Amino acid sequence: MVEEAFEKITDWAKEFKDFNSELEERILEANHDDTKVKWNKLLPDLMGAEVFIAGQYSGQPIDDSGRKELNIVMIQKDGHAIIPFFTSPERLSVLVNPQNNQFDVLKLNTVRLFESLVGKHTVLNPMSSYTRMFTPFEMRILAAENADKAPALPEKEEKSEDKE
């Protein structure tokens, strides 16, 4: 059952086979570096990378643009809700189980992710060798220091009645 669900997920992910593979290799090396020097060198690249989060879109649009709210998947650790994010679809597969095998996946820039998760803890690639926890304070600092690595936000369209 889990394998079937994973195959459905990986169908869309085949084009991302090498997505962030170099970054993941560097994460693995950084996790084995007791001095944390490799993590310090890696963080700007992680902030510029696109990552994946999982959730489920609400049924009804939240405004006139048709946008829907994404209810992000969270995991529990020591009584705290933590938001997982992933460097690749392969790492994302840890969320698939018989009870939870359908969710939407959003790909976004890490800076934009950190900016949107004010006050939340996150974990990169949970349950893998490519993991790292981020506190809300650390996320705020990293997002501010690396704001230039985030893509420009789309400009809001003015409604025709506002233009008159």
Side-chain angles (χ1 to χ4, degrees):
M1 178 72 146
V2 173
E3 290 176 19
E4 289 174 22
F6 181 68
E7 284 178 28
K8 288 179 185 176
I9 291 171
T10 56
D11 283 345
W12 67 266
K14 286 181 182 168
E15 69 183 86
F16 296 109
K17 183 173 177 153
D18 295 324
F19 191 78
N20 288 339
S21 62
E22 180 185 329
L23 184 62
E24 286 185 347
E25 288 175 25
R26 292 177 58 207
I27 290 169
L28 192 58
E29 289 175 14
N31 281 344
H32 290 87
D33 176 22
D34 293 334
T35 67
K36 305 297 180 205
V37 170
K38 289 185 179 182
W39 262 112
N40 291 337
K41 290 180 179 180
L42 169 68
L43 285 170
D45 293 334
L46 176 62
M47 299 309 294
E50 289 186 322
V51 293
F52 298 97
I53 60 170
Q56 290 187 323
Y57 281 103
S58 62
Q60 298 297 318
I62 58 174
D63 58 22
D64 292 339
S65 71
R67 293 182 310 155
K68 294 182 178 182
E69 185 176 282
L70 179 68
N71 299 310
I72 298 174
V73 169
M74 295 189 193
I75 56 176
Q76 294 290 321
K77 181 174 182 181
D78 300 329
H80 294 85
I82 300 172
I83 298 170
F85 68 106
F86 305 89
T87 51
S88 70
E90 182 181 11
R91 303 287 161 249
L92 184 73
S93 68
V94 301
L95 295 180
V96 177
N97 61 52
Q99 294 79 32
N100 184 26
N101 61 21
Q102 293 206 357
F103 44 82
D104 297 298
V105 177
L106 179 66
K107 181 176 75 165
L108 72 159
N109 171 268
T110 308
V111 171
R112 293 286 180 238
L113 173 66
F114 282 9
E115 288 173 340
S116 67
L117 299 177
V118 177
K120 304 288 185 202
H121 286 80
T122 62
V123 60
L124 174 65
N125 298 323
M127 297 173 270
S128 78
S129 301
Y130 306 89
T131 193
R132 185 175 192 276
M133 292 287 299
F134 292 90
T135 65
F137 176 76
E138 183 178 26
M139 291 165 46
R140 190 171 51 248
I141 297 297
L142 287 169
E145 288 177 346
N146 294 282
D148 61 322
K149 294 184 176 18
L153 292 172
E155 293 184 29
K156 291 185 179 179
E157 294 180 24
E158 294 181 39
K159 293 182 181 178
S160 59
E161 60 194 47
D162 293 342
K163 291 180 183 178
E164 295 175 5

